[in-house]
Amino acid sequence: MMLGIVWSHSKLPRWESIPDYFRQLSVINEMGSDTVGAFFLITGYLFFLNYNQEKYREKITTRIKSLVIPYIIWNVLGCILWFIVIELTGKLYVSDNYRYGEPLKVVGNILTCEYTILWYVGVIIVYAFAAPFFYYLVRNKSTGVIAIGTLFVIGITFHHPFTSPLLWMSIYALGAFLGIHFKNYMYRPQRLLLTVSSLALYPLCFYLNYTFDNMLTTNLRAWTAVFFYIGMYDVCNRIIRFKSHRIYKYSFFLYASHYLPLHILQRYIIFHNHTVLTCWAAYIMTPVVVAILSIAVGYYIDKRFHRLYMLLSGGR
């Protein structure tokens, strides 16, 4: 899923170089961005696993270390790096959306992830502090199902997933529900029927979304993607045996570090040679190269400067 997120940030500053760009290339972007819902489910599940109101302070304390501190560090670092690149290149290799401003505005931009793509971390920080609210919603099975269903129906009907807190809340609340009432859910494969259904429904919803292109089909796609990617994990796990590998520990570092080099490298390649072949190569291959480099850098820092790595990754 983290590789899907990296790919979802693959952009072309001169997308007009490729005919029918939005139909051809944006498919990969959108499939990658659809992994966000699964991250919300998993995050809600892990936070509320073995949770009760007495553990609220303990949970918040751990999240300050694992979320708040890395969030601030990476956002400040991102701001500094963007401004350095702007000064060195005259905005040639970064988007014009990133500008200097008044000091107070820069601080506000840092906190709202203007210079990074850590908005998801910002949202789950808010959700962590709002834990009593989610706990109240789902602590009882019956009322929990009703609450999740209500949030789901409202969010899926009226809002776009990337602007609707209700849609994300419904998925996060489902994760909380599973963490409280089905503690082993994420530690065993989901039911085969659910896996098979999600593997079939997600491509169908994706097709419907591209055919009708409305908010309902977009939101349905986001919800079915949650179980599609969990099902894909279960299928791949039979072959790869993820527990025997440790590379996944660098997923947060990859998430926090990939965006700037990906953005700059793609613009550098295309501005120097924007033929159709080069655009395709920049779009498809650059995320792979950047992902490998980011993981390698994370591994190096982890081994040589372990305390620094733990600070940057929130102890992951």
Side-chain angles (χ1 to χ4, degrees):
M1 291 191 302
M2 190 60 250
L3 293 175
I5 292 295
V6 175
W7 229 314
S8 73
H9 295 135
S10 184
K11 308 291 184 183
L12 295 181
R14 294 189 176 180
W15 53 264
E16 70 275 7
S17 300
I18 297 182
D20 202 16
Y21 163 74
F22 288 105
R23 284 288 177 178
Q24 295 183 40
L25 299 185
S26 64
V27 170
I28 301 177
N29 286 100
E30 295 183 22
M31 287 187 66
S33 65
D34 283 342
T35 64
V36 173
F39 279 113
F40 269 104
L41 182 83
I42 294 169
T43 302
Y45 170 84
L46 292 175
F47 188 94
F48 286 93
L49 190 65
N50 302 319
Y51 175 88
N52 56 52
Q53 294 292 56
E54 288 72 30
K55 289 187 176 181
Y56 176 69
R57 180 176 296 181
E58 176 187 338
K59 290 276 188 177
I60 291 299
T61 302
T62 60
R63 266 46 181 193
I64 289 175
K65 177 182 177 181
S66 63
L67 295 176
V68 177
I69 293 177
Y71 179 78
I72 294 173
I73 291 175
W74 283 105
N75 280 340
V76 171
L77 183 62
C79 174
I80 294 171
L81 291 176
W82 279 115
F83 288 162
I84 289 174
V85 174
I86 289 172
E87 284 296 311
L88 293 178
T89 69
K91 299 181 182 177
L92 181 61
Y93 301 126
V94 294
S95 170
D96 291 338
N97 295 330
Y98 302 95
R99 304 177 184 277
Y100 294 101
E102 299 175 0
L104 188 60
K105 185 176 181 180
V106 171
V107 172
N109 289 344
I110 289 173
L111 295 177
T112 57
C113 307
E114 179 71 20
Y115 310 107
T116 69
I117 38 77
L118 297 182
W119 67 269
Y120 167 78
V121 177
V123 172
I124 61 175
I125 288 172
V126 175
Y127 283 6
F129 282 96
F133 166 74
F134 286 102
Y135 183 71
Y136 176 79
L137 284 181
V138 301
R139 63 181 177 176
N140 177 275
K141 282 187 178 181
S142 299
T143 57
V145 170
I146 294 172
I148 294 168
T150 302
L151 291 172
F152 166 72
V153 170
I154 296 174
I156 207 169
T157 305
F158 299 106
H159 299 278
H160 189 281
F162 292 102
T163 59
S164 171
L166 290 175
L167 188 75
W168 294 135
M169 283 173 64
S170 66
I171 297 174
Y172 183 86
L174 176 60
F177 182 86
L178 294 173
I180 293 172
H181 301 292
F182 300 91
K183 298 182 184 298
N184 294 324
Y185 181 80
M186 285 293 174
Y187 295 100
R188 63 186 182 189
Q190 64 184 8
R191 294 183 181 277
L192 181 61
L193 178 60
L194 183 56
T195 296
V196 173
S197 299
S198 62
L199 293 180
L201 284 174
Y202 174 65
L204 175 61
C205 289
F206 203 101
Y207 170 77
L208 291 174
N209 183 223
Y210 261 72
T211 302
F212 298 104
D213 192 23
N214 56 48
M215 290 183 180
L216 176 61
T217 57
T218 301
N219 284 289
L220 282 172
R221 197 184 86 194
W223 251 87
T224 56
V226 172
F227 298 99
F228 170 80
Y229 279 104
I230 295 175
M232 284 294 294
Y233 173 89
D234 291 338
V235 171
C236 293
N237 189 44
R238 295 177 178 271
I239 304 171
I240 301 174
R241 302 293 178 185
F242 290 114
K243 288 185 179 180
S244 64
H245 303 280
R246 293 290 295 166
I247 195 171
Y248 62 83
K249 70 175 289 187
Y250 300 106
S251 60
F252 181 85
F253 189 90
L254 172 60
Y255 168 57
S257 65
H258 77 274
Y259 189 59
L260 180 69
L262 177 62
H263 187 101
I264 293 175
L265 187 55
Q266 285 191 322
R267 291 176 72 92
Y268 177 86
I269 293 171
I270 293 171
F271 275 115
H272 284 274
N273 184 352
H274 58 275
T275 63
V276 172
L277 181 61
T278 304
C279 287
W280 273 101
Y283 183 89
I284 294 175
M285 294 306 300
T286 307
V288 177
V289 173
V290 170
I292 293 172
L293 289 176
S294 291
I295 293 173
V297 170
Y299 178 83
Y300 176 80
I301 296 175
D302 183 25
K303 299 305 178 183
R304 295 295 300 273
F305 310 99
H306 183 65
R307 290 186 178 180
L308 174 61
Y309 176 81
M310 295 293 283
L311 187 66
L312 293 172
S313 65
R316 293 169 181 80

